[in-house]
Amino acid sequence: MEEFIYTLLRADDWRVAEAAGAYHGSADDRRDGFLHFSTAAQLRASAAKHRAGIADLMMVEVPSAKLGESLKWEPASGGSRPGLFPHLYGVLPLTAVRRVVPLPLGADGRHQFPPEIP
């Protein structure tokens, strides 16, 4: 079974990536030296912690196998969250992206994810 990982970014940042043919990361990504990803099981908590209230958020889904050796599984910085997180040491080529899904805010102020995201 193919394993997917996810990154969350603003719609404007996605448009810049589309024009460039690759996503080079957010200011936080550039500061940390890698692109932050989550598994499907980690995604909702990550959105709530790091992207709460952002109305123009996009979920980018990538098959992890397409990223090769640049993808590393590591603990969250500071050990603040349990488990290993996927970190991409390099740019994300748009050719590796399976789909991009808008995540509107629901009436409760939380992002509305596709049903297959737990």
Side-chain angles (χ1 to χ4, degrees):
M1 185 170 111
E2 195 163 33
E3 181 176 11
F4 297 101
I5 59 173
Y6 305 86
T7 191
L8 302 171
L9 53 140
R10 292 179 181 268
D12 285 348
D13 292 334
W14 179 248
R15 285 189 284 278
V16 169
E18 286 180 312
Y23 178 57
H24 293 267
S26 67
D28 289 338
D29 293 328
R30 291 188 298 275
R31 178 198 67 221
D32 293 341
F34 56 83
L35 302 184
H36 294 83
F37 281 82
S38 298
T39 64
Q42 297 165 332
L43 194 55
R44 286 181 186 268
S46 183
K49 181 175 182 177
H50 301 289
R51 304 287 192 269
I54 297 175
D56 65 342
L57 200 62
M58 308 294 284
M59 178 188 85
V60 177
E61 181 180 72
V62 179
S64 60
K66 291 213 174 200
L67 300 177
E69 294 182 10
S70 296
L71 183 67
K72 308 291 183 200
W73 293 82
E74 302 172 319
S77 58
S80 59
R81 294 179 287 162
L84 297 178
F85 288 79
H87 296 155
L88 180 61
Y89 287 85
V91 301
L92 172 63
L94 269 54
T95 56
V97 173
R98 178 174 178 248
R99 69 177 175 155
V100 179
V101 178
L103 298 179
L105 293 174
D108 62 359
R110 294 181 185 187
H111 292 101
Q112 302 300 298
F113 286 87
E116 68 275 9
I117 301 298

